[in-house]
Every structure is written in structure tokens, then in C-alpha cells.
Amino acid sequence: MGKRISEERLAAYRRDGYVAPLRAVDAAQAASWLAEVRRCCGEAARPASEAGLRQPSTRVKPYLLFPWAAALVRHPAILDAVEDVIGPDILVFHTTLWWKPARSEGFVPWHQDATYFGLAPHEHVTAWLALTPSTEESGCVSILPGSHRHGQLPHSDRKDPRVMLSRGQTVALAPEAAETVPIPLAPGEFSLHDTLVLHASAPNRAAEDRIGLGISYIPTRVRHVGTTRLSASLVRGEDRYGHFDLEPAPRGEADAAARATHADSLDRFWLASESIPEMSLAH
Ligand SMILES: O=C(O)CCC(=O)C(=O)O
């Protein structure tokens, strides 16, 4: 038995590339984080241009701006599960707030997270934490079990304003629907998925927003393959490698220091995402 995940479920994670559901917090704590998300990250929806997508946004890496989000990505229930998968020395590399408004057309095409992160080795794990009910009707994440075992697959950019990924990354060959598995989650529950597992999500057809956070955790031994030196947040254990500049947690809410850290971290991230050798090969 790991800290949080049984041997059986861990074996299923290795075989299928995901595990769900796991409980992070109770419904009351999830509701409290949801209120913070609505208060702090409710800025207007998707910008019209691709350049706009890369402006500092409170929906990307909010843990560098808001103490509540810094606590969220450090929550012991999530970190214990992540530790079972990648070991005790853990960095947060990235986080995206996935906010699908009620009855909206936005969707996420089939993709592997590894395609645009440029991390090696492929040990990155994403924790997807639901703050509202994430159901098939509201466009929950679906997975193609076992697809992580095929390694990095070719993707191309899909220029469609409804696509919610920064580059529109879409795998060349979409899986058959019958082989895929939806991952419904209740508020406060989360899933873990492997950086190479194919996943996607459909538009939100429900009468309520679907809101969750995709938190990217890596062990400190993982490095970035690009030439831009990136930053990351040490959230558990020790960093004996120094592959990333370590980011300070925000002390005040979106104060000047936090905004500077956030802007710097995102600038480097976008710059790197344009110059990763693996990515140009895959695209
Ligand atoms: O929230 C979604 O619908 C997609 C999430 C996703 O692609 C991810 O967390 O890697």
C-alpha cells in the first residue's frame, strides 16, 4: 500500500495510464475553492487571438498569484497520491484552470500532455481536481486506457476557436469512441493521468459550469529539454537536481511580487513551448 493508493490501483495506473476517482477534499472545501476561483479567475472567456491566449492569465498557474491556490496544489491528500506515483520529491510544473461555461461549445481534442511540455523522462503526472460536478453531460475528461504505452504520438495544431488548448494540439489518429472511458468526478474528487495517455473532453451540455484544475506534477529528477530555463514550485521533499528555478509561493494575494513571479514564469513557459525540439518533430 502506498501513502494513498493501494497496490492494486497503482498497478491499474501503470497498466491503464490513469486512476480515478480519488478524494482530495470534502464538498465544503471544494465549494470554498470554487468560490475563490469565481472571485479571482472569472475574467472574460477565451481571447480572440492566439497571442491573447498567452497573456498572463489568472487561469494559468494561479498558484503563483493566490495563497488559496498555492495551498490547493500543496494539499496533502493530492500530494500523497502523486508521491505514490512519482516519489517524494515533487515540483508543480504547470496548472490550468479548465472552466467550461454552461451550455458552451469549447472542447479539448485528443492529445497527450507530453506533446507540449518538453519534459524528459516522461514521468509527469496530471492531477485533475473537480470543483463542480464533472459528468459526461458537462464534458468530463475521457481517457483511452493503455495509450500511454505507445510513447509520444504525432500531433498537429488544430485551428478551431472552440479548442481549449493553447496550440490546438490534436493527435493525428483519434481513438474509436467505444474504446474510451469517461472519468466523471464529484466536487473534491480528482483523477491522476500519465503524461502520455490520450485524453479529451467534449463540450459542456449541462446547465451549470464545469470547473476543474489540471495540476502538472513532476519528480525533481525530470528536466526540460528546451534551451529556455524554466521555473517550477517545490511542493514536497527536496530538489537535489536544480533543473528549474524554484518559484516563491505568493505571500499576499496577487501582490506586486506574486504578479512579477507569475508573469516571468509564464513568459518563460510560452517561449520554451515554441522551441522544444521534440515538439517540432511531433508537429
Ligand atoms: O479539463 C479538460 O476538459 C481537459 C483537461 C486536460 O486536457 C488536462 O488536464 O490535461
Side-chain angles (χ1 to χ4, degrees), residues 76-98:
I78 302 176
L79 288 182
D80 284 351
V82 170
E83 178 172 339
D84 288 342
V85 174
I86 62 173
D89 298 322
I90 303 174
L91 297 166
V92 172
F93 174 71
H94 200 65
T95 290
T96 303
L97 176 66
W98 296 101

Side-chain angles (χ1 to χ4, degrees), residues 96-100 106-109 111-113 116-117 124 126-129 134 138-142 164-165 193 199-202 210-216:
T96 303
L97 176 66
W98 296 101
W99 186 329
K100 282 185 186 166
F107 70 97
V108 175
H111 69 284
Q112 296 167 306
D113 291 339
Y116 46 100
F117 279 166
H124 150 233
T126 301
W128 200 97
L129 172 71
S134 187
S138 69
C140 66
V141 174
S142 289
M164 296 174 75
L165 295 173
H193 68 254
H199 59 288
S201 69
R210 193 227 62 175
I211 298 176
L213 286 128
I215 311 164
S216 298

Side-chain angles (χ1 to χ4, degrees), residues 27-256:
Q29 178 60 67
S32 150
W33 281 337
L34 178 62
E36 295 290 37
V37 162
R38 290 194 182 281
R39 182 176 69 80
C40 299
C41 312
E43 69 209 30
R46 184 186 179 93
S49 69
E50 192 169 318
L53 274 176
R54 297 184 181 186
Q55 298 308 308
S57 161
T58 55
R59 295 189 185 182
V60 183
K61 296 200 178 206
Y63 57 88
L64 295 177
L65 290 171
F66 307 110
W68 62 265
L72 185 157
V73 300
R74 289 168 175 78
H75 195 282
I78 302 176
L79 288 182
D80 284 351
V82 170
E83 178 172 339
D84 288 342
V85 174
I86 62 173
D89 298 322
I90 303 174
L91 297 166
V92 172
F93 174 71
H94 200 65
T95 290
T96 303
L97 176 66
W98 296 101
W99 186 329
K100 282 185 186 166
R103 298 200 178 90
S104 58
E105 293 304 316
F107 70 97
V108 175
W110 288 97
H111 69 284
Q112 296 167 306
D113 291 339
T115 310
Y116 46 100
F117 279 166
L119 297 170
H122 284 138
E123 294 186 60
H124 150 233
V125 57
T126 301
W128 200 97
L129 172 71
L131 297 182
T132 61
S134 187
T135 61
E136 284 192 73
E137 189 191 18
S138 69
C140 66
V141 174
S142 289
I143 292 268
L144 180 63
S147 47
H148 60 307
R149 285 185 262 122
H150 300 303
Q152 177 70 63
L153 299 168
H155 286 59
S156 57
D157 290 355
R158 179 166 168 173
K159 300 285 175 219
D160 180 332
R162 298 167 304 163
V163 169
M164 296 174 75
L165 295 173
S166 59
R167 294 169 69 136
Q169 308 88 330
T170 307
V171 73
L173 204 58
E176 296 290 333
E179 296 173 355
T180 67
V181 177
I183 306 180
L185 295 171
E189 288 181 338
F190 67 107
S191 55
L192 294 181
H193 68 254
D194 184 279
T195 192
L196 286 171
V197 85
L198 281 169
H199 59 288
S201 69
N204 181 0
R205 302 292 179 218
E208 287 173 7
D209 295 356
R210 193 227 62 175
I211 298 176
L213 286 128
I215 311 164
S216 298
Y217 293 100
I218 54 174
T220 51
R221 61 182 167 272
V222 162
R223 66 190 171 81
H224 188 261
V225 299
T227 49
T228 308
R229 187 166 167 84
L230 294 183
S231 60
S233 293
L234 184 68
V235 291
R236 179 170 279 186
E238 206 189 327
D239 179 9
R240 285 172 286 117
Y241 296 87
H243 291 321
F244 297 87
D245 290 339
L246 297 183
E247 301 157 337
R251 292 165 74 91
E253 184 165 295
D255 62 14

